[in-house]
Amino acid sequence: MTAAIPTPTNPVSWTARVDSTIRTTPIETVSRFTRISQFRRPRRPPGGDRDHRRGPGGSEGRGGRGFRIAGADVSASISVFLIALPLSLGIALATGAPLQAGLVAAAVGGLVVGRLGGAPLQVSGPAAGLTVVTADLIQQFGWRVTCAITVCAGFAQLGLAALRVARSALAVSPAIVHGMLAGIGVTIALAQLHIVLGGKPQSSAVDNVRGLPAQLANLHPGALSVSLLTIAVLLAWPRIPGRTGRIVRKIPGTLAAVAITTALAALAGVSLERVDLPSWSSHAMPALPEGPVLGLLAAVLTVTLVGSVESLLSAVAVDKLAAARKTPGVQIPRARLDRELAGQGAGNVVSGALGGLPITGVAVRSAANVATGAVSRNSTMLHGLWIAIAALLLVPVLDLIPLAALAALVMVVGVQMVNLVHLRSVQRNREMLVYVVTLAAVVLTGVLEGVVIGIAVAVAVALHRLTRTRITVEVEDGVHRVRARGQLTFLAVPRLSRVLHQVPWDVDCVVELDGSFMDHAAFEALHDWQTAHIAHGGTAEFTGRAGSRITEPAKESPSCCPPWTPWRNHQCGEYALAQPSASPGSERTDALPTDALPTLGPPAAGPSSADLRTAAPSTVDLFAVGLSSAAASAVGPSTAAPSAVGLCAADLCTADLSGTHPSAGVARSPRARQLANGISSFQRNTAPLVRAELARLAREGQRPSQLFLTCADSRLVTSMITSSGPGDLFTVRNVGNLVPLPGADGADDSVAAAIEYAVDVLRVESITVCGHSGCGAMQALLNTPADADGVATPLRRWLRHGLPSLERMRSRQHSLARISRRLPADAVEQLCLTNVVQQLEHLRAHESVARRLAEGTLELHGMYFHVGEAQAYLLADGVGARDDRGDEEVFNLVAPTTLEESRA
């Protein structure tokens, strides 16, 4: 029959295509697929224009129904509000600005920047990164002029956004950014330490250090006790164990710390300085700038630079957090950095004009916004609205807060800005000098001066690395080896020429170049020496660090394919095998050819039972080695098994890469030569790069974070799909990615043993079951009548573990597994998706897995890989955990991330 063309709006089409596939299926199966063809529409439509029009927060009016706010945005906004309120007051206190200024900046950051910015989930407001800058401006120019500087900085940000230079901020070395933030954090902590001890901060970090002995000699017991209590609550709040901890952690630690200390201080009647919010009628507004022009320009430049860089880096980090969050049906648009910079500029103009602090993107509040489930910019805007309402209506409550509690809160934030994770990253990339110099310069001289000094040091380090070249000469077995480590520029030519002229004329010489750059002067020096050396009877060869010659291409096996294809099932050159033609656009089920597929019972027409017994081992080998079904059909049933077996372990150990078999002395087959050449290429190109990491793993043992259970299909390259390396994944592969139930008839203990070893011994943190499109095992299950009976071959017995997946797909007790925004392409894909969900249920039946799940130390994930599209899909969280008809078994598309997002 003629198949209809499948479309998202034509759910009947794929059923017609697989009609011939299920002719031998019982009446119950036919009725099941008839029910699928009529399509019981899921609760969330998989596609359609209406879904594309609706925003992630559901705020777009369907058919013009008006503005809507998602419940997740409301709850997230309240959480962010509870974090932002005490922090805004604390930062205003740390800068020396009026306390209302912090509330104004927080409200404007939520309402203005939240509406106009380009990062929907980023929360803006007064941030610790600008605390030192603002404090210096207030001391130098006064508060009203500082507000005018904030307005000018906002206009400068709007101009930079119009020039579309936002991404240029990402070109600043991370060591400089982290050093700047760490220096600001140290300065904040030193200043707030004086308030914690009951005194007043000095004008600079150096003066604060000098004044510490006198301050320690004159402690204020009340302020010190309130501060220590605040710090203790802040540190202990996330670590409260058990069910009580899970409940109380719904309240932000910052709010809990301030609320508890305020209540206890009020009950104890401790005499302390408290928040004093004057009437809004006397709120200070900006004044015209007064002072030296260069000083004012430097102030505007500093606020613009620090605020812009911090906001843009925070936006990139929020993008990464939002992409890692697995919320079904919610797609957060990526940050538009130029628009975000414009939004920050507009926010600073409004905040400065209303007498508020400078605004920037705040990483802590943004991370909390993402973690609490926000789905659109509405959460950010609502948080700003709650701040404005609190500033107007909760003044009597805010006046009860001790200043020492706010100082302790800000001091902890300052200490946390010296991030150990960033420190390790900087050390790993050999930029510790830049980090330390920038930190010290910011503390001693100021933010702008410190950043300039950091940039100068970073440039000097880069030039030093570019010009530093180590050149040595050694004699090994009569061969002179000249090794050049580093970049070869004109500055290194004198040393290079001096070492080369130490090599005698008439000897063999190998020059090993280990660098990524060589300029014209260095090339000419090497070329002239090579010509002269050869003319005097010597030999000269240039190699890379791995030993491969530079002057000649590496000798790979003759092929028309690019270098990355040794693992690819390519068909070219002398390795091409005859294959039957396939219709364009169709995807083959490569795993099991129709004429060699052992069914669960006697097929309608096909080979005898004896043929099946002899074909089964060959078919299993095809999975393990990766020979396609078409290739197996071409060489015939009698020769498929030897081709699939390939080289035995002894052959590999004694392999002669010239192409002859070590024991028989006969020429290798093209497949054998391809395997041997691939191993040789690994030893030459890859082994030198991974040898150190593998040596570390050999010493320390494997510590994989995941158990990855997938099909043995040769088209699934797990390391490529997951971008993983040695020691990352503990991988289990079998035909059909099946997990036999414990105690099942004919259960394979090898899978259960691997699960127990990974869960109990290796202590993996997650298990992923990965299915794929065009699975031959699923095709076999669909092609087999339910009442079939026949010879129990190993493959036939193994596939019985997939029968629960087939029964789940036929059952009316479960929702149909599907891919988000589209229907399954055919019955095979429907079964492949259902099989992943079913095998997750089988995993939960294993005692070790059930125990770790109950402890909350193990996660289960489902994954589907579409081979033809090279696209991965992840099963929505929590699906398949129970036999519940309300669960929707939806696989969501995994979107690619940019390089900046992956590094954030």
Side-chain angles (χ1 to χ4, degrees):
M1 64 181 292
T2 303
I5 299 176
T7 63
T9 56
N10 180 17
V12 185
S13 55
W14 66 263
T15 309
R17 277 212 322 269
V18 300
D19 231 11
S20 59
T21 304
I22 58 174
R23 283 176 187 166
T24 59
T25 308
I27 300 299
E28 181 186 352
T29 306
V30 175
S31 64
R32 172 64 170 165
F33 286 124
T34 303
R35 182 158 55 89
I36 294 174
S37 67
Q38 295 170 352
F39 188 56
R40 174 166 55 96
R41 184 170 295 278
R43 285 163 286 280
R44 285 194 302 270
D49 293 338
R50 187 171 60 185
D51 277 47
H52 293 293
R53 291 196 305 266
R54 188 169 66 248
S59 60
E60 198 276 336
R62 282 172 276 178
R65 276 193 255 173
F67 182 78
R68 298 181 60 193
I69 298 177
D73 283 333
V74 176
S75 61
S77 68
I78 295 174
S79 298
V80 177
F81 157 71
L82 296 177
I83 296 173
L85 183 64
L87 282 177
S88 300
L89 292 172
I91 291 172
L93 174 67
T95 60
L99 295 183
Q100 298 103 315
L103 300 177
V104 170
V108 172
L111 294 171
V112 177
V113 183
R115 181 64 187 89
L116 302 179
L121 300 188
Q122 172 154 278
V123 180
S124 298
L130 282 171
T131 300
V132 176
V133 176
T134 309
D136 289 342
L137 295 180
I138 294 174
Q139 288 185 357
Q140 185 176 357
F141 299 105
W143 169 242
R144 299 183 66 187
V145 175
T146 300
C147 293
I149 291 174
T150 301
V151 174
C152 295
F155 281 118
Q157 288 177 315
L158 289 172
L160 293 175
L163 296 175
R164 307 183 68 83
V165 297
R167 289 201 173 270
S168 301
L170 302 179
V172 180
S173 170
I176 297 175
V177 177
H178 298 326
M180 176 192 74
L181 295 177
I184 292 173
V186 170
T187 305
I188 292 173
L190 289 174
Q192 298 309 300
L193 181 58
H194 283 268
I195 301 179
V196 166
L197 298 176
K200 298 289 184 182
Q202 304 299 319
S203 59
S204 68
V206 176
D207 292 337
N208 282 321
V209 173
R210 290 175 178 171
L212 271 179
Q215 187 63 61
L216 290 171
N218 188 23
L219 295 177
H220 189 290
L224 182 59
S225 59
V226 168
S227 300
L228 292 178
L229 179 60
T230 303
I231 296 173
V233 174
L234 272 175
L235 298 179
W237 198 258
R239 297 172 175 83
I240 299 177
R243 183 179 179 184
T244 303
R246 290 193 296 271
I247 295 174
V248 301
R249 278 195 294 271
K250 295 180 180 179
I251 303 174
T254 54
L255 178 67
V258 173
I260 291 174
T261 52
T262 300
L264 292 178
L267 292 175
V270 181
S271 176
L272 292 170
E273 290 189 58
R274 302 181 187 272
V275 170
D276 183 15
L277 293 175
S279 171
W280 286 100
S281 60
S282 60
H283 180 59
M285 304 300 284
L288 291 177
E290 297 179 359
V293 176
L294 291 180
L296 291 172
L297 290 177
V300 172
L301 178 62
T302 304
V303 175
T304 303
L305 173 66
V306 177
S308 300
V309 171
E310 187 172 356
S311 297
L312 296 176
L313 292 177
S314 175
V316 173
V318 170
D319 259 4
K320 182 180 178 181
L321 292 175
R325 189 179 64 180
K326 301 167 185 176
T327 305
V330 176
Q331 293 184 352
I332 307 299
R334 287 166 50 191
R336 297 164 56 186
L337 296 185
D338 289 304
R339 177 178 172 180
E340 177 63 22
L341 186 57
Q344 295 292 334
N348 275 317
V349 170
V350 176
S351 180
L354 296 179
L357 291 170
I359 288 173
T360 182
V362 188
V364 175
R365 296 173 218 175
S366 302
N369 194 34
V370 175
T372 51
V375 295
S376 73
R377 64 178 70 247
N378 293 335
S379 64
T380 303
M381 297 172 63
L382 285 173
H383 126 272
L385 179 61
W386 308 144
I387 291 284
I389 293 174
L392 295 175
L393 302 181
L394 297 182
V395 172
V397 177
L398 298 178
D399 284 344
L400 297 175
I401 300 175
L403 294 182
L406 295 179
L409 176 65
V410 177
M411 187 181 74
V412 171
V413 172
V415 172
Q416 290 174 343
M417 291 176 72
V418 186
N419 194 306
L420 295 180
V421 175
H422 294 162
L423 195 62
R424 284 193 290 267
S425 175
V426 168
Q427 185 177 19
R428 186 168 56 250
N429 290 281
R430 299 185 304 162
E431 293 188 327
M432 184 58 72
L433 177 63
V434 178
Y435 177 90
V436 172
V437 170
T438 305
L439 187 156
V442 168
V443 172
L444 297 176
T445 63
V447 176
L448 183 61
E449 296 86 348
V451 170
V452 172
I453 293 173
I455 292 175
V457 173
V459 172
V461 169
L463 290 175
H464 174 70
R465 290 175 179 171
L466 185 64
T467 57
R468 181 188 178 191
T469 307
R470 182 185 177 190
I471 305 173
T472 60
V473 59
E474 297 176 357
V475 180
E476 299 177 2
D477 300 329
V479 178
H480 286 68
R481 293 187 175 273
V482 177
R483 293 183 173 89
R485 301 285 188 265
Q487 320 310 320
L488 287 177
T489 65
F490 64 95
L491 297 174
V493 169
R495 280 176 291 153
L496 178 64
S497 299
R498 184 165 53 251
V499 171
L500 290 176
H501 281 83
Q502 295 176 8
V503 179
W505 285 119
D506 55 349
V507 299
D508 297 331
C509 183
V510 176
V511 180
E512 182 180 310
L513 304 177
D514 180 17
S516 59
F517 177 76
M518 178 193 301
D519 69 2
H520 184 70
F523 174 79
E524 287 289 343
L526 287 171
H527 183 266
D528 292 344
W529 170 84
Q530 181 189 33
T531 303
H533 190 75
I534 294 175
H536 286 80
T539 62
E541 179 181 343
F542 296 93
T543 70
R545 186 173 186 177
S548 57
R549 297 185 64 186
I550 295 178
T551 55
E552 298 178 10
K555 293 185 178 180
E556 300 287 350
S557 55
S559 172
C560 62
C561 297
W564 56 270
T565 53
W567 49 263
R568 180 176 172 232
N569 191 20
H570 55 288
Q571 310 292 334
C572 63
E574 61 179 298
Y575 303 117
L577 298 174
Q579 295 197 24
S581 60
S583 59
S586 64
E587 183 176 349
R588 269 201 335 247
T589 304
D590 275 350
L592 297 174
T594 304
D595 58 351
L597 181 65
T599 61
L600 300 184
S608 64
S609 298
D611 294 334
L612 288 177
R613 283 195 299 270
T614 58
S618 301
T619 309
V620 175
D621 286 341
L622 292 181
F623 272 103
V625 179
L627 192 63
S628 69
S629 60
S633 301
V635 298
S638 61
T639 60
S643 299
V645 171
L647 295 174
C648 66
D651 293 339
L652 292 177
C653 293
T654 58
D656 180 3
L657 299 183
S658 61
T660 60
H661 194 284
S663 57
V666 297
R668 291 187 186 274
S669 67
R671 287 287 182 185
R673 286 204 305 274
Q674 182 186 8
L675 180 60
N677 285 330
I679 297 172
S680 175
S681 179
F682 165 80
Q683 294 298 146
R684 180 176 62 254
N685 301 324
T686 309
L689 303 178
V690 301
R691 186 169 287 119
E693 177 65 13
L694 291 177
R696 183 188 67 80
L697 290 172
R699 292 191 307 270
E700 300 176 2
Q702 61 170 329
R703 296 177 183 175
S705 60
Q706 294 191 30
L707 166 60
F708 197 83
L709 196 150
T710 187
C711 185
D713 193 293
S714 63
R715 297 166 296 180
L716 290 182
V717 184
T718 56
S719 59
M720 178 183 69
I721 296 173
T722 60
S723 298
S724 56
D728 292 337
L729 300 180
F730 186 76
T731 307
V732 176
R733 306 188 68 155
N734 60 53
V735 178
N737 49 276
L738 301 178
V739 180
L741 284 168
D745 184 23
D748 184 357
D749 285 341
S750 67
V751 178
I755 293 171
E756 181 181 354
Y757 183 76
V759 173
D760 288 342
V761 179
L762 297 179
R763 304 293 295 179
V764 296
E765 299 172 359
S766 67
I767 303 178
T768 300
V769 177
C770 177
H772 68 96
S773 61
C775 181
M778 300 301 103
Q779 181 71 57
L781 289 172
L782 281 175
N783 282 348
T784 302
D787 56 352
D789 190 17
V791 178
T793 65
L795 184 57
R796 186 180 303 157
R797 289 195 302 269
W798 172 254
L799 289 181
R800 291 187 187 277
H801 299 302
L803 289 176
S805 300
L806 188 60
E807 294 170 359
R808 184 187 187 97
M809 188 179 75
R810 295 170 180 168
S811 171
R812 297 175 181 267
Q813 302 301 318
H814 301 278
S815 299
L816 293 176
R818 62 180 178 87
I819 293 176
S820 179
R821 298 186 180 274
R822 76 168 176 87
L823 298 174
D826 51 28
V828 176
E829 183 169 65
Q830 179 70 72
L831 184 55
C832 292
L833 296 169
T834 304
N835 183 56
V836 172
V837 180
Q838 184 63 38
Q839 302 314 311
L840 288 174
E841 290 197 1
H842 288 185
L843 270 173
R844 293 182 178 89
H846 286 260
E847 187 273 334
S848 57
V849 175
R851 184 180 64 256
R852 289 281 304 279
L853 288 175
E855 296 171 357
T857 58
L858 183 67
E859 297 179 355
L860 301 185
H861 303 287
M863 175 178 167
Y864 176 75
F865 185 75
H866 194 290
V867 177
E869 298 174 356
Q871 177 62 58
Y873 299 86
L874 286 178
L875 185 63
D877 284 347
V879 173
R882 303 170 302 277
D883 292 331
D884 187 355
R885 293 187 60 153
D887 285 342
E888 283 212 348
E889 300 161 3
V890 182
F891 288 78
N892 296 311
L893 180 141
V894 179
T897 57
T898 63
L899 182 61
E900 291 87 353
E901 292 169 338
S902 65
R903 287 178 173 177

